[in-house]
């Protein structure tokens, strides 16, 4: 799996870390970021589909 490096504002990282750990929604930061990216891409596909910009 390729690795990607990004700069994230500390405030955003602090908010993200509140949801990571035992008995929380995500196990790792990478898991949370992958999930967020998938959700965003699904939403963009839905928008493109509604506007007729997505080829099926």
């Amino acid at each position: 799996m390729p690795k990607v490096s990004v700069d994230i504002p500390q405030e955003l990282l602090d908010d993200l870390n509140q949801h990571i750990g035992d008995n929380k929604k995500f196990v790792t930061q990478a898991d949370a970021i992958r999930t967020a990216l998938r959700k965003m891409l699904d939403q963009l596909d839905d928008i493109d589909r509604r506007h007729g910009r997505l080829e099926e």
Side-chain angles (χ1 to χ4, degrees):
M1 182 179 307
K3 292 187 184 233
V4 175
S5 175
V6 297
D7 294 325
I8 298 174
Q10 188 64 49
E11 180 180 319
L12 189 58
L13 187 59
D14 292 343
D15 287 346
L16 177 68
N17 286 335
Q18 291 180 16
H19 302 282
I20 296 170
D22 293 338
N23 299 318
K24 297 194 178 175
K25 184 162 174 102
F26 302 103
V27 177
T28 64
Q29 289 174 340
D31 180 40
I33 293 167
R34 279 191 297 270
T35 300
L37 284 171
R38 285 185 189 108
K39 184 173 182 174
M40 180 192 66
L41 291 171
D42 287 346
Q43 289 173 340
L44 290 172
D45 285 347
D46 287 343
I47 291 167
D48 284 343
R49 195 172 291 109
R50 285 193 307 262
H51 291 6
R53 297 186 296 237
L54 188 64
E55 294 182 20
E56 299 294 326

